[in-house]
Amino acid sequence: MIRKISLFTILSIVLINTCFGQQPLKLWYDKPAQVWEETLPLGNGRLGMMPDGGVASENIVLNDITLWSGAPQDANNYNAYKVLPQIRKLLDEGKNDEAQDLINKDFVCTGKGGGSVPFGCYQVLGNLSIKYKYNGADSTGSQFTNYERELSLNKAIAKSTFKVNGVTYTREYFTSFNNDISIIRLTADKPGQLSCSIGISRPEQGNVTLSDDELQLSGQLDNGIDGKGMQYLAHVKTKLQGGTMSLANNMLIIKNATEAIIYISAGTDFKGAAFKKNTEAILNAAVNTPYAVEKQKHVSNYQKLFNRVIVNLGNAGDIKETTDERLISFHKNPASDNGLPVLFYQYGRYLSICSTRVGLLPPNLQGLWANQIQTPWNGDYHLDINVQMNHWPLEVSNLSELNLPLVELIREMIPHGEKTAKAYYNADGWVAHVITNPWHFTEPGESASWGVTKAGSGWLCNNIWEHYTFTNDKKYLASIYPILRGSALFYNSILVKDPKTGWQVTSPSSSPENSFYLPNGKIASICMGATIDNQIIRELFNNVIAASKILGKDKAFRAQLSAKLKELPPPGVISKDGRIQEWLEDYKETEPKHRHVSHLYGLFPASLITPDATPELAEAAKKTLDVRGDDGPSWSIAYKILWWARLHDGDRAFKLYCQLMRPTLRNDINYGSGGGIYPNLLSAGPPFQIDGNFGAAAGIAEMLIQSHAGYIELIPAIPNEWKGTGEVTGLRARGNLTIDFKWKDGKVTDYHITSAQPRMVKVKINGVIKNIMALKV
Ligand code: FUC
């Protein structure tokens, strides 16, 4: 099949926008947000903004992805390795509980580790508050009409409009992808009708000052050492049409204007001592750029990423319903609205583009958006699923470069991870355990029950390897090879022989955050060779062997790993009741419905278990998921979408997707069941945790295309509801390939694959595998 991409793509876009009646991708509401979980997230990869759209008064939560308390610390216990032989001996003897006690005593991080400073916390930058005054009978704006509030995913612009005293007010908000600044434009459609006062504040460590014609918020966060942690500064300045601006009581007072543009330029000294100068320079540049030009450049820069992918699943639903109502309707009747999954998928792409940027930090537990000082779980980077999941939609969704901030964070972690490897295991290479932060924490966490899982670094290697498999970029591979090698070196040097099976395993080990009953009835988390460790090590060794061959280096190490591979446990051991065992021993788990299902790592993100190559393990994976149940925090439900997609059960994957789309406003901290979606379509663990958005976006993509099993498969797990007609352009497959395709009645009717270099690729179309020529664009 050889066709020209350019014509196909153009036709597709035209068709999608006409025949399929593509809706504008927007979230919209008919009232202001009452709670933060109703506000709409804007971001340019660094600065974030969440306006509530209030009429009488408005709060806009401000963020900067780099604003962290804490500081680099060394919480390694450099004597820990001395107790390692004793821990291992106890485990060999089946005394896991005693081994766990010893770990709690001598094998966790020193001091507070991950609990508080100096580990630190991702924090809100500040709150911009605007109090409006209306001319006429209704001076507070309590009688507003015609209210609409929206977020356009097509343009990355939020808007609110309403009428008070016969005047239509419009507000536009964007965090600019042109000048690196947040902008709000307030307008009245009648001259001189705009009056408001603007203040900025922060719950702590925030000084507000007036300087010339601007407001400033500045401060220094606690580093846990001498109090002199990260510094930040935010400028607020306005530009008016008509009216006057004065300063009083730490506020900007605007009277009788027709238009007011508010600029918020903010920055921190994270890796940049010149932040004061820079924020000022950015402010001046933005103020001197005409609004229309700034907006147009913002949109066009954003669209360079966003417009790479179009998805249409037909049966587009009722866009006349507000998004919160639409979510409720979808949850009641998922077959009625294929437009919502499209919106949700594209929202995932939008959130990725907005919450990270090449050269900065990866999205944290809340992406870029936090409204508190003490963000849940410090808003950190959890390494036992969460930060990895945040990156799963990127490659397939044609946003490959947004993986690079994670790659760089990992690269910077290595020197610290090498110290941790020595301190606890007297081992070569590097390791990271369960949590990290911008300060490169790699130590075990404070408690054996969760903190000693050491799969974190190996799991990160999966993400950075997948960036290679999708891009085929050898230069990149050469640059990450030392990271992969260092991780393999670590695992290779800590493996020990399990006396029962003879396999080479990790000891101590644990399966993320889960525990089990020992034969004596006691509960433990610590074991030897948890399945996730075995799978991660197998996958990593395979990848390092492949990388060293591609790069033509490291023959001796490659041989060592190849030999070791033969002694590793298989990718899964099937239990008596037909499930994949979570641990080497068939322990009874304390929580059969536990949110983590870490022993299915081999099914996704790894490709060690596939229905074709390992049918028995695939069946056992199904049984594992059935017993575990479909509920959990949002990230757990999202993960289950991905597993069922890999098991080629589109209907079950869709059922999980519908489960995730359960409307909620809960924001208590939840470890069990009950994940869902807030009115602003952000995912609730609860509380708000962005991994559910990203995991589900990856899940939707995985239902439409897969490329991990040696060939590209189109609509491998399409649910009944989406079979009718559908069309996709711009999704990516491993091997640096871009794919456009269409289907009807569950059968692919047209497809096109483009490659940077013309070459043969293997595809599975409507159940038949064939080789086709992929052409250059
Ligand atoms: C892991 C999960 C929790 C939560 C936390 C941030 O510990 O088990 O559910 O998502 O990360």
Side-chain angles (χ1 to χ4, degrees), residues 365 376-377 380 382-386 434-435 450 512-513 594-596 633-636 669-672 685-687 689 691:
L365 282 170
W377 290 285
D380 69 14
H382 263 57
L383 306 179
D384 60 349
I385 174 69
N386 316 84
V434 184
I435 46 175
W450 59 272
E513 305 186 35
H594 197 274
R595 61 195 177 281
H596 287 269
S634 54
W635 63 260
S636 175
I669 296 223
N670 169 50
Y671 282 99
Q689 218 170 277
D691 38 24

Side-chain angles (χ1 to χ4, degrees), residues 87 98-108 448 452 508 526:
I87 293 168
E98 288 178 39
Q100 185 146 343
D101 291 344
L102 192 52
I103 288 175
N104 273 323
K105 194 164 137 300
D106 289 328
F107 205 79
V108 290
V452 182
I526 299 299

Side-chain angles (χ1 to χ4, degrees), residues 320-340:
K320 285 190 224 85
E321 257 186 321
T322 57
T323 303
D324 45 344
E325 290 296 331
R326 190 176 180 191
L327 179 63
I328 294 167
S329 303
F330 177 84
H331 194 247
K332 281 190 201 137
N333 182 10
S336 65
D337 182 2
N338 289 352
L340 192 65

Side-chain angles (χ1 to χ4, degrees), residues 531 535 538 570-575 578-581 599-600 602-603 608-625 647:
T531 300
Q535 294 174 343
R538 174 175 289 278
V573 175
I574 299 177
S575 66
R579 289 184 284 157
I580 293 183
Q581 280 181 202
H599 39 315
L600 294 195
L603 177 62
L608 298 169
I609 301 172
T610 64
D612 286 353
T614 59
E616 290 88 10
L617 287 176
E619 280 310 308
K622 287 183 191 166
K623 181 91 194 281
T624 306
L625 285 167
L647 291 166

Side-chain angles (χ1 to χ4, degrees), residues 81-121:
Y81 74 94
K82 292 181 190 158
V83 298
L84 187 59
Q86 179 62 13
I87 293 168
R88 286 179 167 161
K89 185 165 170 285
L90 289 168
L91 287 169
D92 278 353
E93 293 165 358
K95 296 175 183 162
N96 304 48
D97 48 335
E98 288 178 39
Q100 185 146 343
D101 291 344
L102 192 52
I103 288 175
N104 273 323
K105 194 164 137 300
D106 289 328
F107 205 79
V108 290
C109 58
T110 61
K112 285 196 177 145
S116 168
V117 285
F119 183 87
C121 180

